[in-house]
Amino acid sequence: MWEFIDERKAQIAFSAYQHVSLVLQAVLVATVIAVVLAVVVTRFRPLEPVANAVSAMGLTIPSFALLGLLVPLVGIGVASAFVAVTFYATLPILRNAVVGLQGVDARLVESAHGMGMNTLATLTRVRLPLAWPVILAGIRVSTQMSMGIAAIAAYVLGPGLGQLIYTGLAQIGGANALNSALVGTLGVVILALAIDALLLLLGRLTISKGIRA
Amino acid sequence: MSTTTPPSNTRAGGTDAPGNPDVSGVDLELVDVLKRYPGQKKPAVDGLSLHIPAGEIVMFVGPSGCGKTTSLKMINRLIEPTSGTISIGGEDVRGRNVDQLRRHVGYVIQGGSLFPHLTVAQNISVVPRLLKWDSRRTSERVDELLELVSLDPAKYRDRYPRELSGGQQQRVGVARGLAADPPVILMDEPFGAVDPITRQRLQDELLSIQEELRKTIVCVTHDIDEAVKLGDRILILQEGAQIAQYDTPEAILAAPANAFVEDFVGAGSTLKQLSLSRVSDVELVHPTTATVGERVAEVRARAEANGDQAVVVLDERRRPVDWMWLRELAAADTVRPVRDDVLTLDRRATLNDALDMMLTSTHGAAIVTGRRDEYLGVVNFTAVTGHIQATEQQLAEGRAADATAGRDDAWEGGGA
Ligand SMILES: Nc1ncnc2c1ncn2[C@@H]1O[C@H](COP(=O)(O)OP(=O)(O)OP(=O)(O)O)[C@@H](O)[C@H]1O
Ligand SMILES: [Mg+2]
């Protein structure tokens, strides 16, 4: 296997980079979408159960099926992969963001208003910072999941380590088939762990000491 | 009687005319204020009209659900009245941008309600930041306020709320409410969540702050003793925020307007007078004192000459640091305190507070302090009972005079 890796260092590194890049961009966009949705949802209470149901049900849609549906819409390639990964990445974050925002003590919000903070200031200075640990936990779950889904998305010729896996699986029995699949899979796992560690560090840096567990 | 002008009050607020240069508060006026929550038949506040003079503390009391909080929150428009007008300093609260209005009305609620993700300094700076003060002015103000609520700025400025005790959080809550020097401060059961000794401390501090600042303070409480102690006036409400009585504590205790008030303030008004009398009203005794670092032999000789079993130990600024039995002195050459937190009473504390503290003290008495925690003396049980007896006698004479002269005059200056 080392030989296999050694021969294709550049290609593997590039795939790994593409994989991570796809996931991080998708998660970033997903975070923005999820937080915006959560803010809207917590503002209009009746929407909360709807949001929870959507985020629970969305995760049960098989990713292959979603990719199949997307291809006619956005075509084969990076765009489809990006849309699919973003879709899945949004769901856990949305769920956590709703829970996190709901969990903010109503008296603190009232206190903020009582001191003359407007709705926006209350959101950015009180509600989001207090919900942030829960949101970040959602981001971590979402990132892990997206690493796997991005691998599957390689099916529609998205970039990343998924291609190595598919190449391997397609040539099963052939020389290097196993190596290819294995390197792709291990690469995804290792990168996922590394990114999780980074997100943990991000938490250390961004969660106020006053509310850190 | 409750319709006549209440006798002027000698405590913190007084009834000075607005415009008194020392008063930084402004008048508050509620006219026919009504609040009906959606889907409710009876209004929670049913036509409340009230004048609150500048620089006074007015305490809202009444049974649970009578509309105290609702009335309070309509003042800073956290709740919008269904009808009626509220004005602060003669200006209708609806005439102003609601956020601007709130930045100039202090708001303090139970437990302090501090933002847990912000430090003490950041919590206090919330309103100054909203008002775009520069950072230098803000941080100077933070330190000034921490001093005011008896927290060492260097020690507490950068702590998070969870690193503070309940009483300390509440102090920071008060400091936050005062941050931008608002003329009006609203408080909703501010001292409800702390133990009795801490509560009493916080009350004393509030009185001392008020003596200096003379804000207009509206404070909701469940505790009639707290109302009597803190209030220049007390507003006793019945269901629907109907005014049962609005008067000075002295007048309410002396002449409850009706059976409801009588019930609410409780029978045995002589004992209630304990909440009206301050420690500074009774004669203090002066046991032997010692200064930290003084030679034990000298202190012991002095104490024995005075016939004292214990000495009050003061620091170099004459603040009490310990109350030591002679046998505790024995160990060392020079006087060194053995406890790190001696309980003291502020001179503004009520006799009620004093009795509470005596019960918990092994000395059966309590140390009294004045401005800047300076030692004043000791209040003991004899002094308190003596005062009760004297008050009782006064009351009896008052009643006798009542019978002959008519109640209104009898109660002029009757309280305390
Ligand atoms: N947001 C609300 N919606 C509907 N009804 C309310 C609301 N807030 C208060 N009420 C009702 O209005 C009445 C007055 O409530 P309020 O909170 O002012 O009472 P309170 O005097 O402060 O009571 P407590 O001493 O228990 O704090 C109560 O009957 C309460 O049930
Ligand atoms: Mg209330």
Side-chain angles (χ1 to χ4, degrees):
Chain A
M1 189 162 92
W2 292 121
E3 217 174 291
F4 177 86
I5 296 176
D6 210 36
E7 279 166 14
R8 297 169 180 74
K9 249 193 300 205
Q11 192 216 329
I12 295 172
F14 184 64
S15 295
Y17 161 75
Q18 280 187 318
H19 198 105
V20 170
S21 161
L22 169 68
V23 168
L24 291 188
Q25 289 181 47
V27 169
L28 198 69
V29 172
T31 304
V32 174
I33 295 174
V35 170
V36 169
L37 283 178
V39 168
V40 173
V41 161
T42 47
R43 201 165 167 79
F44 304 99
R45 291 268 144 154
L47 287 178
E48 278 171 22
V50 179
N52 284 336
V54 167
S55 52
M57 253 162 20
L59 288 173
T60 65
I61 302 177
S63 34
F64 265 118
L66 183 71
L67 287 166
L69 291 172
L70 280 172
V71 169
L73 292 176
V74 274
I76 287 183
V78 184
S80 291
F82 181 79
V83 172
V85 175
T86 306
F87 173 80
Y88 285 106
T90 306
L91 303 174
I93 306 178
L94 173 61
R95 193 181 193 113
N96 275 35
V98 170
V99 170
L101 287 173
Q102 278 172 338
V104 175
D105 189 343
R107 291 187 323 162
L108 292 181
V109 174
E110 182 172 80
S111 236
H113 288 308
M115 286 188 285
M117 279 195 204
N118 59 26
T119 313
L120 185 66
T122 307
L123 177 70
T124 56
R125 292 203 210 156
V126 179
R127 294 174 65 212
L128 284 178
L130 287 174
W132 179 237
V134 184
I135 297 176
L136 189 64
I139 294 177
R140 283 177 61 195
V141 170
S142 161
T143 309
Q144 299 299 295
M145 214 179 66
S146 302
M147 288 297 284
I149 289 176
I152 295 172
Y155 181 71
V156 286
L157 293 184
L161 293 167
Q163 279 172 347
L164 278 175
I165 302 176
Y166 280 110
T167 316
L169 293 180
Q171 303 167 350
I172 209 96
N176 279 335
L178 187 63
N179 276 339
S180 183
L182 219 55
V183 166
T185 310
L186 284 177
V188 168
V189 171
I190 291 168
L191 286 175
L193 290 176
I195 294 178
D196 199 45
L198 286 178
L199 285 175
L200 216 61
L201 185 70
L202 181 71
R204 281 261 139 210
L205 298 176
T206 54
I207 295 173
S208 154
K209 239 174 73 190
I211 51 172
R212 217 179 276 161
Chain B
M1 147 126 216
S2 59
T3 52
T4 59
T5 314
S8 86
N9 192 321
T10 51
R11 276 187 284 147
T15 47
D16 308 61
N20 178 323
D22 295 337
V23 175
S24 69
V26 296
D27 280 24
L28 250 166
E29 186 93 43
L30 283 75
V31 181
D32 271 332
V33 174
L34 185 136
K35 174 67 192 182
R36 191 193 308 271
Y37 286 108
Q40 284 181 355
K41 272 198 248 79
K42 274 180 143 182
V45 172
D46 196 357
L48 179 64
S49 294
L50 189 67
H51 174 77
I52 298 174
E56 292 205 0
I57 301 185
V58 171
M59 306 296 292
F60 286 11
V61 291
S64 188
C66 69
K68 303 182 290 292
T69 299
T70 304
S71 304
L72 188 82
K73 284 186 186 166
M74 285 192 285
I75 299 174
N76 66 357
R77 292 179 61 192
L78 278 174
I79 294 176
E80 294 285 358
T82 311
S83 66
T85 51
I86 296 174
S87 46
I88 297 179
E91 211 184 313
D92 190 331
V93 292
R94 277 167 310 186
R96 256 168 117 178
N97 171 288
V98 69
D99 292 317
Q100 287 300 330
L101 167 82
R102 290 173 186 159
R103 289 169 198 174
H104 298 281
V105 177
Y107 186 52
V108 181
I109 62 181
Q110 188 170 34
S113 201
L114 302 178
F115 299 126
H117 61 299
L118 301 181
T119 61
V120 165
Q122 290 167 333
N123 264 289
I124 297 175
S125 334
V126 167
V127 179
R129 275 189 55 190
L130 289 169
L131 291 171
K132 308 234 167 1
W133 289 17
D134 65 56
S135 60
R136 178 89 180 277
R137 181 174 172 207
T138 306
S139 67
E140 279 171 8
R141 180 70 178 152
V142 166
D143 286 5
E144 184 184 323
L145 285 162
L146 284 174
E147 297 270 7
L148 190 67
V149 297
S150 313
L151 292 173
D152 178 7
K155 197 164 158 198
Y156 292 101
R157 200 192 283 130
D158 296 321
R159 290 213 189 168
Y160 285 94
R162 70 169 174 194
E163 298 164 327
L164 303 178
S165 72
Q168 291 167 339
Q169 291 186 16
Q170 194 57 72
R171 287 193 170 93
V172 176
V174 171
R176 186 172 70 172
L178 290 167
D181 208 22
V184 175
I185 298 170
L186 310 178
M187 302 183 149
D188 198 346
E189 304 197 31
F191 311 135
V194 294
D195 64 88
I197 298 274
T198 309
R199 182 179 317 148
Q200 176 228 306
R201 262 268 137 95
L202 293 168
Q203 291 167 346
D204 295 342
E205 278 172 23
L206 181 67
L207 285 174
S208 119
I209 291 168
Q210 173 66 354
E211 196 168 46
E212 204 173 307
L213 303 179
R214 308 287 295 276
K215 304 286 181 193
T216 306
I217 299 180
V218 184
C219 179
V220 169
T221 179
H222 261 116
D223 177 359
I224 184 71
D225 289 319
E226 178 167 89
V228 169
K229 175 175 178 179
L230 296 180
D232 294 306
R233 288 157 203 262
I234 300 177
L235 176 73
I236 300 180
L237 294 174
Q238 266 166 291
E239 202 184 328
Q242 295 297 304
I243 299 179
Q245 192 167 10
Y246 179 40
D247 214 328
T248 62
E250 290 83 356
I252 287 176
L253 289 181
N258 52 41
F260 176 82
V261 175
E262 208 161 315
D263 248 22
F264 197 80
V265 300
S269 339
T270 326
L271 281 178
K272 285 283 170 205
Q273 298 282 338
L274 284 174
S275 303
L276 279 175
S277 310
R278 307 281 153 168
V279 168
S280 51
D281 298 337
V282 304
E283 194 141 347
L284 302 181
V285 293
H286 300 278
T288 312
T289 61
T291 310
V292 175
E294 211 180 338
R295 297 194 56 81
V296 166
E298 289 168 25
V299 174
R300 181 183 293 279
R302 231 183 310 143
E304 272 157 12
N306 292 344
D308 284 334
Q309 298 295 316
V311 295
V312 177
V313 181
L314 309 177
D315 68 5
E316 70 288 352
R317 285 167 61 184
R318 287 192 59 76
R319 292 173 301 194
V321 288
D322 201 351
W323 197 353
M324 296 171 77
W325 298 100
L326 288 184
R327 65 186 133 74
E328 290 175 319
L329 286 172
D333 261 3
T334 55
V335 177
R336 217 174 305 145
V338 290
R339 292 167 200 85
D340 55 5
D341 195 19
V342 64
L343 288 176
T344 60
L345 275 180
D346 190 89
R347 70 197 143 108
R348 290 178 210 80
T350 66
L351 292 188
N352 218 349
D353 299 331
L355 281 177
D356 274 352
M357 191 164 290
M358 284 177 206
L359 284 173
T360 59
S361 161
T362 51
H363 297 271
I367 297 175
V368 180
T369 58
R371 200 171 278 276
R372 296 189 187 286
D373 293 330
E374 198 184 328
Y375 172 74
L376 293 179
V378 164
V379 57
N380 61 20
F381 193 65
T382 324
V384 175
T385 45
H387 188 85
I388 298 175
Q389 273 159 5
T391 311
E392 214 157 44
Q393 206 166 354
Q394 256 180 25
L395 283 174
E397 281 162 18
R399 273 190 287 272
D402 244 14
T404 52
R407 305 178 55 137
D408 274 28
D409 313 291
W411 276 102
E412 217 74 81

